[in-house]
Amino acid sequence: MTGTVIRAAGGPAVTARSSRCITSAFSCRAIGWRRAVATRAATLDNYTGVVFQQPFEAAKAELAIVGNTNAAVTSLARVDFHPACESAINEQINIEYTVSYIYHALWAYFDRDNVALPGLAAYFKAGSDEEREHAELLMKYQNSRGGRVVLGPLSVPELDLSSSDKGDALYAMELALSLEKLNFQKLRQLHSVADEHGDASMADFVEGDLLAEQVEAVKKVSEYVSQLRRVGKGLGVFQFDKELAAAVAAAGPA
């Protein structure tokens, strides 16, 4: 039986009978494929039944970790994250919080009624917020890599700015410069730990999200120190404070 001729646009002619045969063949293949998927899924339920071929042989170790039902002990997201990198990130978190703590103390000092330098107060308040944001950024990255955030104790800042012969404004800004430089050095060490253990992701994170901004911070505070050394302790500080207040307001939230 020849059957009715069916011709698709631009395609060869097939009969209705042959069309039914083709449809039947595809249906058989689809049924077979579904059975194969079901069988494979059943096999995956039992990890010992999975047969790995190269280059997936290395997946066995990761599959054993994923198969661990005790999620409180082992992070499911952790992969190629060295304990030394995890520890170094926690140390940097503590550094960022410590600098934030000191800047917060400086904000409280310059906000006092018998000091009344609102520009410096606003500058150190914004700096404190920014350092805390850096700490939270590091904490978020730590969690994304499957590490565990461990917060350390903070030292109480003991500041007596009024006793400085340089004047409180210059003394505070020089202190800020030393802290920003220290932070830069610590970030370099953090980057070195990432390089040492071949962690390209962590190295890229430190470079792109932290180090570049830290270079700019060191340059900015260096300029403020130079300006305060030039203006002295009197009216010049008052004028510097007004300009700093305007700069902080123009910059907006950190």
Side-chain angles (χ1 to χ4, degrees), residues 55-72:
F56 298 104
E57 181 71 21
K60 286 183 178 179
E62 292 302 327
L63 187 58
I65 295 174
V66 173
N68 183 1
T69 57
N70 192 352

Side-chain angles (χ1 to χ4, degrees), residues 139-150:
M139 294 166 78
K140 185 174 180 61
Y141 182 79
Q142 182 86 294
N143 285 337
S144 71
R145 292 298 302 276
R148 180 170 296 182
V149 173
V150 179

Side-chain angles (χ1 to χ4, degrees), residues 109-110 160-174 228 232-234 237:
Y109 171 84
F110 287 108
D160 188 11
L161 279 66
S162 59
S163 64
S164 173
D165 294 335
K166 297 179 178 181
D168 49 8
L170 177 56
Y171 179 85
M173 202 60 72
E174 287 181 345
L228 284 169
K233 296 190 293 184
V237 171

Side-chain angles (χ1 to χ4, degrees), residues 35-57:
R35 287 176 179 172
V37 170
T39 303
R40 182 64 173 168
T43 304
L44 287 174
D45 286 338
N46 180 8
Y47 293 142
T48 58
V50 180
V51 178
F52 286 97
Q53 303 293 336
Q54 293 294 346
F56 298 104
E57 181 71 21

Side-chain angles (χ1 to χ4, degrees), residues 58-177:
K60 286 183 178 179
E62 292 302 327
L63 187 58
I65 295 174
V66 173
N68 183 1
T69 57
N70 192 352
V73 175
T74 305
S75 167
L76 297 177
R78 191 176 190 122
V79 55
D80 291 340
F81 191 44
H82 198 278
C85 294
E86 180 181 8
S87 177
I89 290 176
N90 280 329
E91 180 181 350
Q92 186 62 35
I93 291 171
N94 184 263
I95 291 169
E96 300 287 350
Y97 269 128
T98 298
V99 176
S100 174
Y101 201 19
I102 295 172
Y103 283 175
H104 219 178
L106 290 171
W107 161 74
Y109 171 84
F110 287 108
D111 190 56
R112 288 164 51 182
D113 67 285
N114 59 337
V115 178
L117 290 173
L120 283 159
Y123 173 78
F124 285 114
K125 176 63 167 60
S128 177
D129 293 344
E130 184 178 18
E131 299 302 332
R132 188 167 63 254
E133 287 177 3
H134 290 167
E136 292 175 357
L137 188 65
L138 284 156
M139 294 166 78
K140 185 174 180 61
Y141 182 79
Q142 182 86 294
N143 285 337
S144 71
R145 292 298 302 276
R148 180 170 296 182
V149 173
V150 179
L151 299 180
L154 299 178
S155 300
V156 178
E158 297 180 4
L159 303 174
D160 188 11
L161 279 66
S162 59
S163 64
S164 173
D165 294 335
K166 297 179 178 181
D168 49 8
L170 177 56
Y171 179 85
M173 202 60 72
E174 287 181 345
L175 174 61
L177 179 57

